[in-house]
Amino acid sequence: MTLLHIRNLSVDFATASGQFRAVDGVDQDVNESEILAIVGESGSGKSVSMLAVMGLLPWTATVTADELTFDGQDLLTMDPRARRKIVGKDLAMIFQEPMSSLNPCFTVGWQIREALRVHLGMGRRERQARAIELFEQVGIPDPEKRLSAFPHQMSGGMNQRVMIAMAIACKPKLLIADEPTTALDVTIQAQILDLLASLRDETGMGLVLITHDMGVVAETAERVSVQYAGQKIEEQPVVPLFETPHHPYTSALLDALPERATEKRLPTIPGVVPGQFDRPAGCLFSPRCQFANAKCKAEAPRPSSIELGHARCFYPLNSNERAAS
Amino acid sequence: MTDPVMTATALERHYEVSSGLFRASRTLKAVAGVEFALYPGKTLAVVGESGCGKSTLARMVTMIEEPTAGSLTLDGKPVVPEDWASLRKSVQIVFQDPYGSLNPRQRIGTILEEPLKINRPDMSNTERTAKAREMLGLVGLRPEHFDRYPHMFSGGQRQRIAIARALMLDPKVLVLDEPVSALDLSIQSSVLNLLVDLQERLQLAYLFISHDLSVVKHVADEVIVMYLGRAVEKGSRDTVFATPFHPYTKALLSATPQADPRAKKERIKLDGELPSPLAIPDGCPFAPRCWKVQEKCRATRPALFGDAHSAACFFPENSPT
């Protein structure tokens, strides 16, 4: 069943130098108990689109969408109070930097019990018991003692577990993890990713993993959506995405991975991601694309068919193999 | 083989950590007993998790901090604090964050000329400018960038500027402290290519510090794996990646995500986290997290052994001969 249903989502920021479109016409579906990864470089709008779903964007942002529903409820027309009841309960998020997203003035136990009090209205004893249970679930040793620790007394990996415990406290239907392991070491990263995957198996929640690390995507995700400069440019299940990418950007990004290198010089993508003032007229990737022609530079491509991974490209790659098979 | 440009013997760095007004301060051993040699045109990579002493090592090599014990030599001459000022120009560093390491109020030209102004007072203004412009070309930037400010550049271009600045004094050793981890994937590859080009042209010795094993696998000739301030494994890139001896290296390799969804995942799960560097276990520092641990490991600390490829472990994985 579709948990999150997004059609034509755009986010504009009012900046001192005019409107800036951070997310541009993104369509996205997330089903129950699936792991969707959203990958992209910095500035690709991957975090902003999910923050828009959560309703956590600042007032300078204007969110527009044709459809934006979560679990059958329309988030666009919902009144803010009703939305506040969902956010943090059925729809939860883990942020990138555990150190700066926890409140340094309160113990982690207080912060996790607050979620239980506000959303579930549990009594004091119940809250304490549930908090201990949650800490055990995310693998924090000695939970009773750790509940009275402040964020600065714990390591980054432990704080990230606290964030996860807090996010899953109310058994969310959908968990959005925004670069949950970027600030952590690889051995801790492996622990956290296994934890997220096992929580999904146990509770059947949907999981959206926002990341820029292709390795994490390959090992964890089931479906992958690639974003570039605010647009979703391709979406495929994980294995075909890595084997037969359809958009030239996806393909170039995969070729640039050091571990795929066959010689000392790596293939590169020339140029940089377009910013506010140098957005090209046609395809956003055309200035950096090795296959671009006059048509690409003049006209913006529409997403193609599902067989071609919805690639926003006039000349998708690996299209013959697909058609033949 | 050519002579090494720089060697380090039994390098140690301790810090005094105060634990309260009336209590004796404790000693934190950030780096203990690290040895290596850097050769011209070769890259030595130091890998390890946060807190393993990689950055302290970089600070000692660049003569920002004095080793507590052990010695460094540069071109066969010992590195002592009295000679630091004259030796520093041979060892330069590129930092991780290109947004923080360039002065936002200086133009690129000024940034590049500053090392010459300080270290080569004999040089005339025109010579300096000529050299800075030449360096700009060498790192792949255009001449018109000379009069611009850092905020006008992207992350990758800034890292190129930081590399150019480090090369202004014709150093022999370049310390690269996580040079690409702040960069996006599409930019990362071009900066790595630049580093490879420069090394070939200028025969630089690189000390490449990183936590990203896929990058290290690509650039390194030799690898040192550090854990809690100690080298636990050392060897050529191919042998360390193909047949890791130390269980920690093996765990680190298995924890690094591979960008191949079909790859079989035999992840070794390490329990727990890095112990506090103030309370390093008596025996093998890795013993509390190791799955092969025995009594001997907790009691005595294994030394590095093996010739070309060595590891500090009593019960190594692919046993060294």
Side-chain angles (χ1 to χ4, degrees):
Chain A
M1 200 197 119
T2 314
L3 264 179
L4 185 65
H5 180 74
I6 303 172
R7 285 293 171 273
N8 196 19
L9 172 75
S10 297
V11 179
D12 292 277
F13 282 96
T15 63
S17 44
Q19 287 277 315
F20 173 60
R21 180 152 279 205
V23 178
D24 188 5
V26 168
D27 296 347
Q28 194 73 69
D29 282 319
V30 188
N31 298 325
E32 265 174 6
S33 71
E34 81 161 341
I35 305 182
L36 170 81
I38 303 181
V39 281
E41 297 178 89
S42 46
S44 61
K46 54 193 194 302
S47 295
V48 174
S49 56
M50 285 301 128
L51 286 170
V53 170
M54 294 287 289
L56 293 177
L57 288 169
W59 61 272
T60 50
T62 318
V63 179
T64 51
D66 292 347
E67 285 175 65
L68 181 60
T69 62
F70 169 70
D71 201 20
Q73 294 157 291
D74 189 355
L75 293 176
L76 288 169
T77 52
M78 187 181 277
D79 97 289
R81 282 195 180 188
R83 189 168 184 172
R84 182 68 191 85
K85 287 211 172 84
I86 296 177
V87 170
K89 185 166 178 273
D90 294 332
L91 183 58
M93 189 158 180
I94 304 169
F95 301 94
Q96 177 171 1
E97 286 208 14
M99 290 292 189
S100 49
S101 2
L102 288 169
N103 190 332
C105 303
F106 295 97
T107 63
V108 293
W110 190 93
Q111 296 181 56
I112 197 166
R113 284 190 300 261
E114 184 193 22
L116 298 171
R117 181 173 55 80
V118 171
H119 285 297
L120 303 179
M122 281 182 171
R124 188 178 295 267
R125 280 229 181 82
E126 245 181 314
R127 288 204 296 265
Q128 177 70 9
R130 175 79 177 130
I132 293 174
E133 187 189 58
L134 282 165
F135 269 32
E136 274 165 0
Q137 203 178 352
V138 298
I140 297 178
D142 207 356
E144 269 153 276
K145 222 173 101 192
R146 292 292 185 138
L147 278 173
S148 52
F150 286 91
H152 73 267
Q153 294 170 316
M154 306 209 284
S155 66
M158 279 300 152
N159 276 327
Q160 194 57 287
R161 281 163 208 256
V162 173
M163 289 292 294
I164 295 173
M166 212 181 282
I168 61 166
C170 306
K171 301 203 175 99
K173 292 179 178 147
L174 180 67
L175 180 63
I176 300 168
D178 186 358
E179 309 252 4
T181 56
T182 307
L184 306 176
D185 284 319
V186 279
T187 53
I188 310 297
Q189 166 171 293
Q191 293 172 2
I192 299 282
L193 291 176
D194 283 348
L195 171 65
L196 286 174
S198 67
L199 285 172
R200 190 276 311 252
D201 297 341
E202 280 164 32
T203 63
M205 64 181 182
L207 179 61
V208 177
L209 191 67
I210 302 174
T211 181
H212 66 270
D213 187 331
M214 283 296 186
V216 170
V217 172
E219 297 214 337
T220 324
E222 289 158 0
R223 203 151 55 88
V224 188
S225 152
V226 186
Q227 289 203 14
Y228 181 77
Q231 290 184 339
K232 181 171 113 178
I233 53 142
E234 178 161 6
E235 181 184 306
Q236 283 205 68
V238 65
V239 175
L241 184 97
F242 277 81
E243 283 170 5
T244 53
H246 294 306
H247 198 283
Y249 172 68
T250 318
S251 166
L253 206 58
L254 290 171
D255 286 341
L257 288 170
E259 59 178 283
R260 290 197 164 197
T262 44
E263 45 198 305
K264 202 78 182 161
R265 301 282 184 292
L266 295 166
T268 58
I269 309 177
V272 289
V273 181
Q276 184 176 5
F277 304 108
D278 53 358
R279 269 174 103 81
C283 168
L284 291 179
F285 187 57
S286 60
R288 304 174 75 188
C289 182
Q290 54 173 323
F291 307 109
N293 61 15
K295 188 183 178 193
C296 302
K297 293 193 162 74
E299 214 182 308
R302 301 285 313 147
S304 47
S305 66
I306 186 159
E307 289 78 33
L308 292 168
H310 305 289
R312 269 187 195 258
C313 183
F314 291 119
Y315 313 103
L317 305 170
N318 301 309
S319 46
N320 311 336
E321 290 128 67
R322 250 320 147 84
S325 63
Chain B
M1 204 171 183
T2 45
D3 288 333
V5 213
M6 185 173 229
T7 60
T9 329
L11 218 52
E12 305 225 348
R13 173 73 213 184
H14 302 170
Y15 294 103
E16 293 288 308
V17 183
S18 109
S19 41
L21 189 57
F22 299 108
R23 274 187 257 171
S25 60
R26 292 186 290 173
T27 312
L28 187 153
K29 292 188 178 170
V31 172
V34 173
E35 303 202 5
F36 60 82
L38 298 175
Y39 294 94
K42 297 279 177 205
T43 304
L44 172 73
V46 179
V47 293
E49 295 177 280
S50 48
C52 75
K54 334 184 266 286
S55 294
T56 309
L57 190 68
R59 293 169 71 87
M60 287 193 284
V61 169
T62 45
M63 292 169 253
I64 295 169
E65 273 179 35
E66 196 185 338
T68 314
S71 63
L72 276 171
T73 65
L74 188 65
D75 270 336
K77 290 187 285 286
V79 174
V80 284
E82 296 80 66
D83 300 336
W84 275 8
S86 59
L87 292 174
R88 270 190 189 135
K89 59 180 90 140
S90 317
V91 184
Q92 292 291 316
I93 185 164
V94 176
F95 295 100
Q96 172 174 5
D97 176 16
Y99 291 84
S101 60
L102 301 175
N103 186 339
R105 301 182 63 166
Q106 285 182 334
R107 291 172 195 271
I108 303 312
T110 323
I111 290 174
L112 294 184
E113 283 176 36
E114 195 171 15
L116 292 178
K117 256 184 200 158
I118 295 164
N119 286 286
R120 302 279 297 276
D122 53 306
M123 245 183 174
S124 73
N125 273 337
T126 44
E127 272 180 296
R128 263 205 307 265
T129 312
K131 179 138 200 216
R133 285 189 183 275
E134 187 200 322
M135 195 54 77
L136 212 56
L138 194 66
V139 297
L141 292 170
R142 287 202 299 275
E144 66 261 30
H145 292 151
F146 194 79
D147 290 316
R148 295 195 185 163
Y149 287 98
H151 73 263
M152 299 158 118
F153 293 92
S154 66
Q157 285 174 314
R158 286 183 204 217
Q159 202 59 301
R160 284 169 192 267
I161 296 164
I163 292 168
R165 176 178 61 183
L167 292 177
M168 284 308 285
L169 292 167
D170 304 317
K172 299 193 174 97
V173 176
L174 200 58
V175 177
L176 302 155
D177 190 356
E178 309 256 9
V180 293
S181 38
L183 304 178
D184 272 323
L185 189 57
S186 70
I187 308 298
Q188 176 180 309
S189 54
S190 67
V191 172
L192 286 175
N193 284 352
L194 171 70
L195 289 172
V196 172
D197 285 338
L198 290 172
Q199 185 170 45
E200 276 176 14
R201 266 171 86 163
L202 307 170
Q203 284 300 300
L204 292 162
Y206 284 164
L207 181 67
F208 194 97
I209 293 172
S210 182
H211 68 272
D212 187 338
L213 287 171
S214 56
V215 171
V216 167
K217 194 175 181 180
H218 180 69
V219 298
D221 295 300
E222 296 270 314
V223 180
I224 293 183
V225 183
M226 283 182 72
Y227 189 75
L228 281 175
R230 283 160 204 285
V232 293
E233 182 154 1
K234 208 169 132 181
S236 72
R237 176 207 38 196
D238 295 334
T239 57
V240 170
F241 278 90
T243 54
F245 289 162
H246 201 282
Y248 176 63
T249 315
K250 198 172 179 196
L252 207 57
L253 283 170
S254 79
T256 305
Q258 276 177 289
D260 177 6
R262 285 194 199 273
K264 54 178 194 287
K265 292 164 203 171
E266 279 179 41
R267 220 182 255 161
I268 299 167
K269 259 205 209 163
L270 283 186
D271 294 328
E273 304 189 27
L274 229 57
S276 155
L278 277 168
I280 296 177
D282 281 334
C284 171
F286 187 58
R289 294 173 82 189
C290 186
W291 64 94
K292 300 177 83 179
V293 67
Q294 298 191 18
E295 264 326 294
K296 192 180 175 189
C297 307
R298 296 208 177 85
T300 36
R301 184 169 287 157
L304 267 183
F305 78 100
D307 298 326
H309 180 188
S310 52
C313 183
F314 293 122
F315 310 103
E317 284 288 311
N318 305 291
S319 106
T321 42

